[in-house]
Structures are given as C-alpha cells and as structure tokens.
Amino acid sequence: MTTGTRFIRVLLTRAPEVVLEGKTIRAWGVDGRLAAEAAGRVTLAAVGERIRWNGSRLLGDTLDAAGAPDLRVGSREGIGRVRLLARKGELLAVAVVPLEAYVAAVLSREAPPRFHPEALAALAVAVRTYAVGAAAKTRDPAYDVVGTVEDQVFTGMDGVTAVFREAADRTRGLVVRYRGELARTVYHSTCGGRTEDAGSVWGKDIPYLRAQFCGDCADSPVYRWEYRMSETEGRHVAKALGVPPGKDLGIAVTGRTPTGRASRVRISSSGVSRELQAAEFRKAAGYAKVRSLKMEISHVAGGWRFTGEGWGHGVGLCQYGANGMARRGAGFCEILARYYPGTEIIGETP
Ligand SMILES: [Zn+2]
C-alpha cells in the first residue's frame, strides 16, 4: 500500500448480528492487539456496547477484522477490511476501502461493461465526487457513505472487472467542483431526451443541475418504456397511499414540471381523493415498474397503462447519454461539462 492512499468507510449493514466468512479471519481491538482469530465463519453479535465473538467471548465495542485473502460480510464479497462497532445492541459493519477501488466497484454496479471508456471515465469522476462530498459532511462519525442506493450501491470488490478499474485509474483523484466546492454529481440511467432541474425534484435549485437537452440516450433500452399495472396492483398502491380503493379508483397526473415530468399525481375513489408528489407515487408503485416520471397514465381494460421515457430521476448526468456522446467522440471532460455545466474538473488535494 502506498502512502497517501485515501480510504472511504462504507456502511455495509447495521444489525444485531453480522456474519463474517473467510479462509482465515482475524480481529484486532482498537489498541491494535489481536483479539480473536477464526477460520471459515464467525458470527458477531452486539451485546449492548460490546461485541460477542462466535457466541462466546465478549470483546470491546470496536473490532477491526480482515480476512485472508479477503472477507465475505453478509452478501458482500471481496471485502478487505471491515470495522465493527457495537452500539446499543446493534452492530455496524463498515468496510474500509481504498477510494479508487470503491469508485471501480460502484461503477461496476452502475454501468454496463460495454459502455465506452470515456463514458465510464466520466461516471467514475461523478462517483468519486459524490463519495468525497459525502465523506466531507458525514452523517455519522462511524462511516462516510452507505453502501446502498441511499448513497451508491457497493457490494464488494468481487467481480469488478478491468474496464471499471481502468476508468477509476485513468481519472484517479479527479473531482467536479463548482466555484471551488465539491459538486453534487448526481446521475441516472436515461433521461429520455431532456434532463431535469434539481429544483423540480428536490425543491432546491442547484446552478449546475439544470435541465439540459440530451439527444444521446435514444439507444438506451429504457428510452421508451411501458408498464401495465393490474387492477389488483393499482388497489394495493392506492391503499398504501391512504386511499381506500373502490370500483371507481382513478389514478391521474395532475401537475407537470417544465420538462414534462409528472410532479403531482391524484388518486381518487368513492369521494376520497388524495393528491401527492409524483415521486411518492413512483416509490409506492416501484421504481423498476414506473421507471421515470416522464410518463402518461391511461385507464385501460384490466388496469392502467403507463408509458414513459427514460429511467431515473433525470437530474445530472444521463449515463446512456454519456455513452452516446462518447461514441460520437466526446472525451470525459466534455461529457461532464455538458451534464454539470459551469463546473470544473480538478485533481483533489489529498
Ligand atoms: Zn439522456
């Protein structure tokens, strides 16, 4: 390990018990002394503010564990080091990952390996900037980012192929800044032709997250999509959103953002009507079903027909658009400049 390697602490899980698997597993206390050793599998449990090792010994509140060659922590494979902290009967498992390895791993979950190298490089810079930004204003002193969609999905280093490592390596240390501050480099799969204003989605305008024309994502498999929601499913969604569904259940878009995305949805039935944020409706219906809010809803026999464009919130970098631009010859800096206008790409000072 070279000096100056920056690490990022990724919260993997938070549960009363955590299972570690590895050929050999070693754990050290905060004093740096070897506290326990095992082979194969150990179950760690939080007992108040202490950690119970494999149902027997009670250790301190913090352990650093490593496996040879590496560890499996729950469903995550290829974890080099993990810190375990007992807190009020819960164990926090926090992977300690070199930043560039983390960037490659997140990228491998976010983008297909067949993406153009310049598109992967642009996305690597976005992933890194997001992580460094999150680490700069942590929500909890124990970790920098959460390894789920709450931040960026991290499932370990297993299966992270060379194309993703190269994209991280080529852009090593580069981040996006706006007037000197780290930018909020959000991204999504496919915008469907036009990205969205941050203000329309999160209620706060961000100068470099304004709607942009994107003519480059038309070859995305979800550029256009359709979803048929059955009557039964529609009733479940209505119920979950507080409208008791009757025979006359109605679901309609009642407001749109300037880019044409739904902003409000009304659910009505038997005199009960509720208008809600379209994003809340999409969450209840399922993000993989109602893929974006750039959609139309029509009542058809047997349920509802949703037709839409793109996948995701639509703010910031459009991944398929980045790939389209790269295939037209654009470099990663040009791609970032289009989706985060007015920003600069600079090497991060360690
Ligand atoms: Zn696009």
Side-chain angles (χ1 to χ4, degrees):
M1 205 173 292
T2 55
T3 50
T5 298
R6 179 171 180 160
F7 287 86
I8 189 131
R9 299 167 306 153
V10 189
L11 178 68
L12 299 179
T13 118
R14 171 185 273 208
E17 273 191 10
V18 171
V19 175
L20 304 182
E21 288 170 280
K23 260 194 180 147
T24 60
I25 304 161
R26 288 200 166 123
W28 296 266
V30 277
D31 58 1
R33 286 201 190 138
L34 189 67
E37 213 172 342
R41 182 186 159 100
V42 282
T43 303
L44 304 180
V47 180
E49 309 286 321
R50 300 184 71 184
I51 300 171
R52 190 186 291 282
W53 179 268
N54 240 358
S56 57
R57 295 168 54 202
L58 264 185
L59 305 171
D61 62 356
T62 305
L63 276 185
D64 286 311
D70 54 22
L71 283 176
R72 184 186 164 99
V73 182
S75 61
R76 268 104 157 186
E77 290 189 65
I79 305 290
R81 267 172 60 199
V82 66
R83 171 162 274 205
L84 298 133
L85 302 109
R87 224 186 241 179
K88 294 179 185 153
E90 261 197 333
L91 264 188
L92 275 63
V94 180
V96 184
V97 193
L99 176 62
E100 299 304 336
Y102 169 83
V103 170
V106 170
L107 205 53
S108 77
R109 291 296 311 246
E110 283 292 342
R114 61 179 171 76
F115 261 26
H116 192 286
E118 293 298 323
L120 292 176
L123 195 55
V125 177
V127 167
R128 182 181 303 107
T129 307
Y130 183 97
V132 173
K137 40 180 184 331
T138 52
R139 289 144 285 182
D140 189 309
Y143 57 85
D144 300 315
V145 289
V146 180
T148 66
V149 289
E150 191 181 317
D151 285 317
Q152 304 186 110
V153 176
F154 173 79
T155 56
M157 299 311 298
D158 215 47
V160 179
T161 55
V163 286
F164 301 115
R165 291 177 191 275
E166 276 157 22
D169 268 0
R170 262 190 72 201
T171 60
R172 176 172 285 272
L174 296 180
V175 288
V176 181
R177 287 186 186 268
Y178 179 76
R179 295 187 175 165
E181 301 282 316
L182 284 165
R184 238 186 109 192
T185 46
V186 292
Y187 50 88
H188 57 277
S189 159
T190 306
C191 74
R194 201 165 168 209
T195 67
E196 181 59 293
D197 283 313
S200 296
V201 178
W202 297 304
K204 188 175 174 248
D205 279 320
I206 298 176
Y208 52 86
L209 294 178
R210 292 231 180 87
Q212 303 294 328
F213 170 76
C214 166
D216 289 300
C217 56
D219 71 339
S220 162
V222 284
Y223 186 67
R224 299 258 187 277
W225 55 266
E226 182 177 321
Y227 179 66
R228 291 283 182 135
M229 182 182 276
S230 70
E231 289 280 356
T232 317
E233 207 185 338
R235 295 166 74 86
H236 279 303
V237 173
K239 211 169 163 188
L241 293 170
V243 177
K247 283 220 158 62
D248 60 342
L249 178 63
I251 305 173
V253 173
T254 48
R256 293 197 180 266
T257 71
T259 69
R261 289 172 172 88
S263 58
R264 311 284 296 170
V265 166
R266 187 171 56 222
I267 303 179
S268 51
S269 185
S270 316
V272 181
S273 173
R274 187 179 168 214
E275 197 178 80
L276 65 156
Q277 297 277 357
E280 192 188 340
F281 172 79
R282 184 175 164 230
K283 187 179 179 186
Y287 290 132
K289 292 173 177 173
V290 176
R291 289 179 156 138
S292 75
L293 292 175
K294 216 160 178 270
M295 58 154 184
E296 307 287 338
I297 309 174
S298 45
H299 198 192
V300 294
W304 291 267
R305 179 168 173 257
F306 290 76
T307 48
E309 293 161 359
W311 191 346
H313 50 58
V315 184
L317 183 142
C318 165
Q319 294 184 37
Y320 274 87
N323 193 46
M325 269 186 94
R327 288 185 2 204
R328 285 197 288 113
F332 73 90
C333 293
E334 215 179 313
I335 296 171
L336 292 164
R338 179 211 248 178
Y339 294 106
Y340 307 120
T343 60
E344 300 178 280
I345 299 154
I346 1 194
E348 191 213 348
T349 41

